[in-house]
C-alpha cells in the first residue's frame, strides 16, 4: 500500500490547487479523479466551456446587431453550431492538458479512479478497468464538488430535461429552450442560446433575477435581457416537467395561481447545485454532513476527523471556483504550520452575461436588514466616455460606503468588463480603503474604470464631474 503525506480526492479548482500547493511545500502528494480528465466541473463542464461559448456567441451577436452601426458591413452571417462547440472542446482540452503538465511539473501523482474511504487514513480507488488501489494518507482533503440539484416534480432525464452539462454537449442548436431558475447558470445559458436565435423563457421562483445579489443588478439585467428578446417570468412556481419525446413540457403556477404550460425542445434545470459525496464511503468514517448534504467542517475546514479536511462546493457556501481555490491554499498551508486566512465576505461574484455583472461585499438589502447606515454612489456607464466610444453604455457602478468613516461596504457593477473591474473593489474592501481614497487615485482615460472612480466620488459625498 502506497503512503502519501497528502491525498486529495477530486481534481476541480479545489483539488488541483491543493495538490500543486502541497507538492510545492514538499509533501508527497496524490490527486485522485474519477473522470479521465483533470479539472472537475469548472474546467470540463462549468466555468471554462461556458465562457468559451459565451465569448463566441457574443462575437456573433455583436456582428449581427452592432457592426453596421460601426460601419462594418458583414452580410449573411451564420453560425456553424458544430464548429462553435468544437472550439469550446479545444479550449477545454488546452486547460485539461495544462493541468496534466502542472501535475507532472510538480511531481504530483495522479490516479484516475473513484476513491472511497476504508477508514480514516485508507482509501480504496476503483479504476475504469475495475483494478483497485489501496492508498494511505497522513492528511486527506475531500474536494469532490457538486452536482445539479432539482425540484419536486422535475426529473432530470438528460434527454429533454437537461442541465448545463448536457446543454454543453448538444449536437444541434435548439429552436426553443425553457430554463428553470434565473440564477447564474440560468442567465448565462439564456444568453448563449438567445444570441444564436433560440427562443428562450426563464422561469424564476424569486422576484428578481440573480436573487442573491444586490437587487438593482437583477432588475437592470432583467431589462437588458428582456430587450434582447429573452422572456423572463418571475415569481412562478414550477411543479412538473414532462418529456414528450421530441419536446418537453413545463407546468407552473403563475403569480395569481393560474396553471400555465410551456413546451420547448428542451427544459434546462438550473435551480442550484448540491454537494457531491456519493460513493465516498463516508459511512466508514466519523465525517458528518449537514441537512443539505454538505460536509461539516470547523473554521479550519477540518471535518469531525482531524486528518480529513473538505473544501470547495462539497462544503457548501458560495459555489465558486475561486472560493474553492482559496480554501485549497488555506488548508494546505495550515497543514504546513502557516497561518493563512480566508475572508469570505471579500470573495467576488461574477456573471458573464453581456453586459457583465460583478459584486463584492454587502448588498443594499443586507445592509438594510442589518440596520447598517450607508451612502450610495451610483454612476451610469451612459456617462462614461469609453463606454460611449464602444457603444457599451448599459449598466452602472453602485458603491455602498459607511456614511461616517467612508469605509467601503459593497461594490456592485452591471456593465461591460464588470468582472475584471471588480478586482479593484476587492482590494478596496480587503484593505479597508475609504470611498474617498478610492476616488482620489488616478484612473486612465478613457476607461470603464473611470465609472468606478465616479461612483466612489459620489459615495464619498462629492459630486461627480461627469453627471
Ligand atoms: P469540482 O470542480 O466539482 O470538482 C470535483 C471533482 O471531484 C470532479 O472532477 C469529480 O469527478 C471528482 N470526484 C467526485 N467524487 C469523487 C470520488 N469519489 N473519487 C474521485 N473523484 C471524485 N465558478 C466560477 O467561479 N466562475 C464561473 O464562471 C463558473 N461557471 C460555472 C458554470 C457552470 C455551468 C457550472 C456548473 C459551474 C460554474 N462555476 C463557476 C462553479 C464552479 O464550477 C465550481 O464552484 C467549482 O468547480 C468547484 O470546485 P471543486 O473543486 O469544489 O469541485
Ligand atoms: P443559483 O443558486 O445561482 O440559482 C438558482 C435559481 O433557481 C435561484 O434564483 C432560485 O430562486 C431558482 N429556483 C429555485 N427553485 C425554483 C423553482 N422551483 N422554480 C423556479 N426557480 C427556482 O444556482 P445555479 O444557477 O444553478 O448555479 C449553481 C452554482 O454554480 C451557483 O452557486 C453559482 O455560483 C455557480 N456558477 C457560477 C458561475 C459564475 O461564477 N459565473 C456561472 C455558473 C454557475
Amino acid at each position: 500500500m502506497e503512503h502519501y503525506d497528502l491525498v486529495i480526492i477530486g481534481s476541480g479548482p479545489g483539488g488541483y490547487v491543493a495538490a500543486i500547493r502541497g507538492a510545492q511545500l514538499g509533501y508527497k502528494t496524490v490527486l485522485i479523479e474519477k473522470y479521465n480528465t483533470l479539472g472537475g466541473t469548472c474546467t470540463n463542464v462549468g466555468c471554462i466551456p461556458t465562457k468559451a461559448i459565451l465569448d463566441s456567441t457574443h462575437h456573433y451577436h455583436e456582428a449581427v446587431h452592432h457592426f453596421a452601426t460601426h460601419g462594418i458591413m458583414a452580410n449573411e452571417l451564420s453560425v456553424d453550431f458544430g464548429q462553435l462547440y468544437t472550439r469550446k472542446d479545444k479550449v477545454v482540452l488546452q486547460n485539461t492538458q495544462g493541468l496534466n503538465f502542472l501535475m507532472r511539473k510538480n511531481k504530483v501523482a495522479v490516479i484516475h479512479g473513484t476513491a472511497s474511504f476504508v477508514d480514516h487514513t485508507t482509501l480504496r480507488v476503483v479504476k475504469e478497468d475495475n483494478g483497485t488501489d489501496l492508498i494511505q494518507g497522513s492528511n486527506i482533503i475531500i474536494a469532490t464538488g457538486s452536482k445539479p440539484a432539482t425540484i419536486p416534480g422535475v426529473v432530470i432525464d438528460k434527454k429533454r430535461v437537461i442541465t448545463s452539462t448536457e446543454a454543453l454537449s448538444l449536437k444541434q442548436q435548439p429552436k426553443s429552450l425553457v430554463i428553470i431558475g434565473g440564477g447564474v447558470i440560468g442567465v448565462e445559458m439564456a444568453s448563449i442560446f438567445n444570441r444564436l436565435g433560440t427562443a428562450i423563457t426563464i422561469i424564476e421562483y424569486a422576484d428578481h433575477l440573480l436573487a442573491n445579489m444586490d437587487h438593482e443588478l437583477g432588475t437592470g439585467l432583467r431589462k437588458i435581457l428582456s430587450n434582447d428578446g429573452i422572456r423572463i417570468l418571475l415569481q412562478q412556481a414550477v411543479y412538473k416537467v414532462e418529456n414528450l419525446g421530441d419536446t418537453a413540457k413545463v407546468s407552473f403556477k403563475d403569480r395569481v395561481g393560474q396553471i400555465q404550460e410551456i413546451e420547448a425542445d428542451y427544459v434546462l434545470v438550473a435551480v442550484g447545485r448540491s454537494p457531491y459525496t456519493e460513493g465516498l464511503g463516508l459511512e466508514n468514517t466519523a465525517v458528518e454532513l449537514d441537512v443539505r448534504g454538505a460536509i461539516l467542517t470547523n473554521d479550519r475546514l477540518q471535518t469531525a476527523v482531524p486528518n480529513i479536511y473538505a473544501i470547495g462546493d462539497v462544503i457548501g457556501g458560495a459555489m465558486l471556483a475561486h472560493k474553492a481555490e482559496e480554501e485549497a491554499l488555506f488548508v494546505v498551508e495550515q497543514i504546513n504550520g502557516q497561518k493563512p486566512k480566508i475572508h469570505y465576505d471579500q470573495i467576488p461574484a461574477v456573471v458573464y452575461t453581456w453586459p457583465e455583472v460583478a459584486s463584492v461585499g454587502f448588498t443594499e438589502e443586507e445592509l438594510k436588514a442589518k440596520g447598517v447606515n450607508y451612502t450610495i454612489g451610483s454612476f451610469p456607464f451612459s456617462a462614461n466616455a469609453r463606454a460611449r466610444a464602444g457603444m457599451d453604455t448599459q449598466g452602472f457602478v453602485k458603491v455602498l460606503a459607511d456614511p461616517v468613516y467612508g469605509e467601503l461596504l459593497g461594490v456592485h457593477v452591471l456593465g461591460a468588463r464588470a468582472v475584471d473591474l471588480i478586482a479593484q473593489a476587492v482590494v478596496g474592501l480587503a484593505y479597508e480603503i475609504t470611498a474617498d481614497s478610492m476616488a482620489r487615485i488616478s484612473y486612465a482615460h478613457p476607461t470603464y474604470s473611470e465609472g468606478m472612480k465616479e461612483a466612489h466620488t459620489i459615495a464619498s459625498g462629492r459630486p461627480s464631474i461627469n453627471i
Side-chain angles (χ1 to χ4, degrees):
M1 188 171 0
E2 190 84 19
H3 181 277
Y4 293 90
D5 302 323
L6 191 57
V7 178
I8 295 144
I9 311 172
S11 71
Y16 73 71
V17 170
I20 293 171
R21 190 69 188 119
Q24 285 174 344
L25 290 170
Y27 296 125
K28 184 180 174 191
T29 303
V30 61
L31 181 64
I32 308 168
E33 169 54 55
K34 72 173 178 178
Y35 288 121
N36 291 330
T37 55
L38 300 181
T41 304
C42 181
T43 311
N44 292 282
V45 291
C47 329
I48 302 303
T50 51
K51 268 80 256 181
I53 306 184
L54 277 158
D55 281 347
S56 298
T57 57
H58 179 62
H59 291 316
Y60 177 64
H61 190 263
E62 285 291 295
V64 171
H65 295 279
H66 298 142
F67 272 20
T69 321
H70 285 279
I72 303 164
M73 297 307 157
N75 298 324
E76 293 176 37
L77 280 169
S78 63
V79 171
D80 180 341
F81 191 76
Q83 168 58 18
L84 199 144
Y85 269 47
T86 300
R87 190 194 80 90
K88 177 264 297 176
D89 292 338
K90 282 188 185 151
V91 173
V92 170
L93 188 67
Q94 279 167 359
N95 283 275
T96 55
Q97 286 180 339
L99 289 174
N100 293 340
F101 163 77
L102 288 173
M103 295 310 139
R104 283 195 302 272
K105 181 184 159 204
N106 288 286
K107 301 193 172 43
V108 173
V110 175
I111 304 177
H112 287 282
T114 303
S116 63
F117 283 91
V118 176
D119 58 40
H120 288 172
T121 53
T122 315
L123 289 160
R124 176 180 294 111
V125 184
V126 180
K127 299 194 252 187
E128 211 174 36
D129 61 4
N130 283 330
T132 301
D133 281 353
L134 275 183
I135 59 169
Q136 264 194 332
S138 305
N139 291 290
I140 300 176
I141 302 178
I142 303 172
T144 49
S146 61
K147 62 171 182 197
T150 188
I151 48 176
V154 180
V155 177
I156 297 166
D157 63 18
K158 301 189 180 181
K159 294 186 174 78
R160 291 286 154 195
V161 188
I162 61 174
T163 70
S164 53
T165 303
E166 291 74 49
L168 288 168
S169 58
L170 289 175
K171 297 280 171 270
Q172 278 182 336
Q173 184 196 330
K175 289 192 184 59
S176 55
L177 177 65
V178 171
I179 300 176
I180 307 176
V184 194
I185 292 183
V187 296
E188 288 189 359
M189 284 289 159
S191 299
I192 287 174
F193 290 102
N194 179 57
R195 291 169 190 167
L196 298 175
T198 300
I200 306 285
T201 306
I202 295 178
I203 307 179
E204 165 60 52
Y205 187 72
D207 57 357
H208 279 86
L209 290 182
L210 304 176
N212 296 329
M213 298 178 87
D214 191 283
H215 285 180
E216 264 191 70
L217 297 174
T219 302
L221 185 67
R222 181 189 176 198
K223 278 189 202 136
I224 294 167
L225 294 185
S226 299
N227 284 340
D228 285 346
I230 296 176
R231 188 174 170 217
I232 299 169
L233 307 176
L234 299 177
Q235 292 177 284
Q236 319 278 326
V238 171
Y239 63 90
K240 191 168 69 178
V241 176
E242 294 160 272
N243 179 337
L244 303 179
D246 293 335
T247 57
K249 188 172 75 179
V250 51
S251 309
F252 57 100
K253 280 191 184 157
D254 66 17
R255 287 177 197 206
V256 290
Q258 294 279 1
I259 290 174
Q260 306 284 350
E261 291 177 343
I262 306 180
E263 207 176 308
D265 286 357
Y266 297 95
V267 172
L268 193 159
V269 183
V271 294
R273 294 176 62 90
S274 310
Y276 185 70
T277 55
E278 228 174 272
L280 252 186
L282 291 182
E283 60 282 4
N284 301 323
T285 70
V287 172
E288 291 166 353
L289 304 182
D290 70 12
V291 282
R292 291 179 46 254
I295 294 182
L296 270 176
T297 63
N298 60 18
D299 55 8
R300 302 185 64 210
L301 302 186
Q302 224 166 7
T303 67
V305 184
N307 69 306
I308 304 178
Y309 297 80
I311 59 172
D313 284 9
V314 77
I315 62 168
M319 291 192 172
L320 296 170
H322 43 286
K323 177 256 194 189
E325 291 175 12
E326 289 304 311
E327 290 177 339
L329 298 177
F330 176 79
V331 164
V332 177
E333 290 178 1
Q334 235 187 144
I335 291 171
N336 189 242
Q338 302 178 30
K339 303 228 175 308
K341 281 199 171 64
I342 299 185
H343 297 281
Y344 284 103
D345 52 348
Q346 293 161 15
I347 293 178
V350 288
V351 187
Y352 294 79
T353 46
W354 198 265
E356 295 170 339
V357 185
S359 187
V360 64
F362 290 111
T363 65
E364 197 176 344
E365 292 74 31
E366 284 169 340
L367 294 177
K368 276 189 182 141
K370 283 167 165 280
V372 174
N373 291 332
Y374 55 90
T375 56
I376 301 182
S378 199
F379 185 83
F381 281 109
S382 56
N384 173 277
R386 183 72 190 88
R388 282 201 294 260
M391 268 177 36
D392 267 320
T393 53
Q394 300 188 100
F396 55 86
V397 179
K398 173 175 171 179
V399 170
L400 301 169
D402 183 281
V404 180
Y405 302 106
E407 186 182 334
L408 291 186
L409 299 171
V411 178
H412 309 282
V413 187
L414 170 66
R417 310 182 192 185
V419 303
D420 291 302
L421 290 178
I422 205 68
Q424 190 213 33
V426 176
V427 174
L429 253 85
Y431 292 94
E432 299 178 10
I433 303 175
T434 64
D436 185 57
S437 300
M438 292 287 278
R440 286 185 192 277
I441 52 177
S442 175
Y443 293 69
H445 177 73
T447 57
Y448 289 92
S449 70
E450 289 172 292
M452 303 287 275
K453 179 183 176 92
E454 297 290 343
H456 284 113
T457 302
I458 300 164
S460 71
R462 284 185 292 133
S464 158
I465 300 293
N466 290 296
I467 49 172

